[in-house]
Amino acid sequence: MTRQNYFWIRASLLSLFVFFAISLFFWGILAYNIPPLDGSISAADLAQHFRDHAARLRIGYGVALPMYALMLPWSVAVFALMRRIEGGDGILSYIQLGGGILTVVVMSMGNAFWLTAAFRPETDPAIIQMLYDAGWLTVDLFFGVTTLQYCALALVLLQDRAPKKLAPKWFLWLGFWLSIEFMLEIIMPHFRSGPFSWSGLFNYWLPFFGPITWVTVMTIILYRSVHRFEEEDRAALAASSS
Amino acid sequence: MFTGVSLFTTHTTWLGAGVIYALICSLTYLKCRFVIMIFMEIQEAPAGWRVFFELWMIGVTGMIVFLKFAA
Amino acid sequence: MRATGRLPGEEGLWSFIAADMMLFALLFGSFLSQRAAAPSQFAEAQALLVPTFAIINTIFLLTSSLFAALAVQAERGSRPGGTRLYLILTIGLGAAFLAAKLAEYYHEISAGVSPASNTFFMFYFVITGLHFTHVVVGMGILAFVGFRMRGEVPPERRQYLVESGASFWHMVDLLWLVILPIFYLLP
């Protein structure tokens, strides 16, 4: 790889953190999602919330929505590094890539529903509620693509044959667990309140912040690994020219 | 040994409503300890793992005991 | 027993096991704290459960763990042959557990109970349901292990496979040992 490629790989990995920062502020704070509204909120209260805070919600969702695209270069950079490790005709890197791209689509869609609700909040509260519900059901139940993404990533890193492994086994297996834990969301549509609803401990706090923490650490690990691949390339270049 | 543990369990419910809360808690703790230390071989594991499992058992049993009295 | 300072089977799997145990501990804690807040409602709901099912299931799982442990011992050479048989017995008892659990669910649902009935039954169905899926996964892992051991496999690899499968299975048994008292036995 050329020096320029490494620049884009590093920049793309860092784009995840840019995305997190923007999302935290615009989606999390401005759009009142961290902490979330209660799952049991009535249509009337929800509509009132959207009417009272319409402008702020439009800014929050409206800025966050396009920024999900930053997860795209990140997924591609991860793909490029995974190719180096997996090598050959391995398909796990592609599974990660596919999962990463689809996650961008899913998260964006959910935000589009919420933005729509904020766009015309004077409309029927039942419609506001349906849009709001649609957003959460979309974001929460599309986890399959993200599960596949993280599992593929962990699997390839487990195959790392270098003497100094990029990531310890326990961290990778924790990644497996976190991505499979998403499956608890399957019960989410059955609960409109309580710890298993979309705002609950088990279907909001745990599946959002557990994987985010893991992916943050993983991205730092991968960022630092770029140096190793650069060294390998330099050594290969030196060997071939001597 | 396992038969004894199973019989304990059956014995517990046979006593019906008169079962002492503490009896259930200690039996649960002992059964968990047996599975963890013997079957899962944690008594042979590195110290960090032993601590984790001890804390888990104490934590779970503790929750059962104390949340009863939080009422 | 064996050399000390080592976890049996795949070491990464133990992180998975630990995380799973923490999730269930959180679930148990959620249930117990809700129970502390509404003891009489929970007691009323609990009265609808039939402990016999749970006792039978406890025997099934404890025995299956015993067989899993025997499978590990067989691979380590302290018992002659029989790994395959022990694995089959373990899986078989797992299936028996599932059958009894389904029968119990059927009984409860026919009596008009559901996860929406009240908080007790919400936790009951979610926690036992989640445990149910763990039993299925555990059986799958053990079947995979059995399958992988066919043909020429080096002894360390065989031990590694059986130990890993057994470790996950023991966790599944362990979780049930807590489910039993908190739902069925506590007065």
Side-chain angles (χ1 to χ4, degrees):
Chain A
M1 287 200 219
T2 64
R3 239 178 57 176
Q4 182 157 43
N5 279 349
Y6 284 119
F7 170 79
W8 288 114
I9 287 179
R10 284 195 169 99
S12 297
L13 288 174
L14 291 178
S15 70
L16 182 76
F17 299 130
V18 174
F19 160 70
F20 278 160
I22 294 175
S23 187
L24 175 69
F25 180 70
F26 287 93
W27 180 83
I29 295 171
L30 278 191
Y32 297 96
N33 284 307
I34 303 175
L37 297 180
D38 193 271
S40 60
I41 192 169
S42 70
D45 287 341
L46 187 62
Q48 198 55 51
H49 168 83
F50 269 80
R51 282 166 204 159
D52 291 345
H53 306 290
R56 180 173 153 162
L57 288 167
R58 278 181 222 135
I59 296 171
Y61 288 121
V63 172
L65 175 44
M67 295 305 159
Y68 283 95
L70 286 172
M71 285 202 289
L72 174 63
W74 170 73
S75 300
V76 177
V78 171
F79 165 79
L81 295 174
M82 282 172 73
R83 291 298 302 141
R84 285 293 296 258
I85 300 171
E86 193 183 11
D89 296 326
I91 66 168
L92 290 169
S93 323
Y94 290 93
I95 292 175
Q96 188 282 138
L97 181 62
I101 291 171
L102 290 173
T103 300
V104 170
V105 173
V106 165
M107 302 299 286
S108 304
M109 267 176 67
N111 276 264
F113 286 122
W114 294 322
L115 182 60
T116 310
F119 181 68
R120 221 181 286 273
E122 64 274 15
T123 193
D124 185 350
I127 296 177
I128 301 275
Q129 185 173 51
M130 178 154 285
L131 285 167
Y132 195 68
D133 291 340
W136 282 109
L137 287 161
T138 303
V139 160
D140 283 359
L141 272 297
F142 261 90
F143 65 80
V145 295
T146 316
T147 300
L148 288 171
Q149 181 189 14
Y150 294 169
C151 280
L153 174 53
L155 274 169
V156 166
L157 288 185
L158 275 174
Q159 291 173 16
D160 186 18
R161 292 276 166 260
K164 193 166 177 298
K165 304 250 178 296
L166 285 180
K169 254 193 198 180
W170 68 263
F171 181 73
L172 298 172
W173 277 83
L174 189 60
F176 282 137
W177 187 83
L178 283 166
S179 63
I180 293 170
E181 191 279 333
F182 283 141
M183 295 192 73
L184 194 57
E185 294 279 5
I186 288 178
I187 68 174
M188 181 279 253
H190 301 272
F191 299 101
R192 293 182 190 167
S193 65
F196 304 112
S197 71
W198 61 259
S199 64
L201 173 62
F202 297 101
N203 281 330
Y204 173 84
W205 295 100
L206 179 55
F208 270 78
F209 294 101
I212 282 174
T213 311
W214 187 82
V215 140
T216 299
V217 175
M218 178 56 88
T219 304
I220 294 171
I221 289 174
L222 288 173
Y223 187 87
R224 287 155 91 178
S225 83
V226 176
H227 180 72
R228 173 182 122 183
F229 296 118
E230 273 180 316
E231 286 299 315
E232 276 175 20
D233 284 358
R234 261 185 227 126
L237 198 61
S240 63
S241 59
S242 59
Chain B
M1 191 194 291
F2 121 82
T3 322
V5 171
S6 299
L7 278 174
F8 267 136
T9 317
T10 325
H11 198 60
T12 302
T13 52
W14 175 72
L15 284 171
V19 172
I20 306 164
Y21 206 92
L23 182 63
I24 297 172
C25 289
S26 19
L27 280 174
T28 301
Y29 178 81
L30 288 172
K31 280 187 280 185
C32 288
R33 201 177 175 81
F34 179 80
V35 170
I36 288 172
M37 292 301 168
I38 309 294
F39 283 157
M40 295 169 99
E41 302 181 24
I42 297 306
Q43 69 185 12
E44 323 256 312
W49 283 100
R50 284 205 306 271
V51 168
F52 170 78
F53 280 95
E54 290 283 7
L55 288 175
W56 190 89
M57 279 190 285
I58 290 166
V60 169
T61 317
M63 278 195 297
I64 299 175
V65 171
F66 289 108
L67 286 169
K68 160 80 168 176
F69 298 108
Chain C
M1 290 242 171
R2 308 176 75 238
T4 59
R6 208 188 141 284
L7 287 167
E10 165 62 54
E11 59 169 305
L13 182 63
W14 285 93
S15 304
F16 195 101
I17 288 172
D20 239 359
M21 285 171 65
M22 292 311 295
L23 174 65
F24 273 91
L26 206 57
L27 285 164
F28 296 150
S30 270
F31 168 74
L32 289 166
S33 67
Q34 299 275 39
R35 181 174 177 271
S40 51
Q41 282 172 33
F42 273 60
E44 258 179 61
Q46 184 185 28
L48 296 171
L49 287 181
V50 180
T52 313
F53 282 113
I55 302 303
I56 291 170
N57 271 339
T58 307
I59 294 172
F60 282 156
L61 278 187
L62 277 174
T63 317
S64 72
S65 263
L66 177 67
F67 284 127
L70 288 173
V72 171
Q73 291 303 310
E75 271 316 304
R76 292 177 185 163
S78 38
R79 284 173 184 272
T83 307
R84 198 192 157 96
L85 174 65
Y86 289 134
L87 285 178
I88 290 171
L89 285 168
T90 308
I91 295 172
L93 282 167
F97 175 93
L98 294 179
K101 196 69 206 151
L102 286 172
E104 184 183 3
Y105 281 151
Y106 179 77
H107 166 86
E108 282 147 6
I109 291 169
S110 313
V113 157
S114 80
S117 299
N118 52 52
T119 314
F120 176 91
F121 279 107
M122 175 183 81
F123 277 105
Y124 168 78
F125 281 106
V126 171
I127 292 178
T128 60
L130 190 59
H131 179 263
F132 188 102
T133 57
H134 278 75
V135 172
V136 173
V137 168
M139 286 167 64
I141 293 175
L142 289 170
F144 173 79
V145 163
F147 181 75
R148 274 296 234 225
M149 295 214 319
R150 283 162 36 195
E152 288 300 312
V153 181
E156 312 88 54
R157 180 96 189 136
R158 290 173 66 97
Q159 271 182 40
Y160 163 86
L161 284 168
V162 176
E163 284 174 1
S164 302
S167 298
F168 187 87
W169 189 256
H170 292 316
M171 178 199 69
V172 170
D173 184 20
L174 177 68
L175 295 173
W176 178 260
L177 289 178
V178 181
I179 290 174
L180 169 70
I182 67 175
F183 286 111
Y184 295 92
L185 301 183
L186 292 179

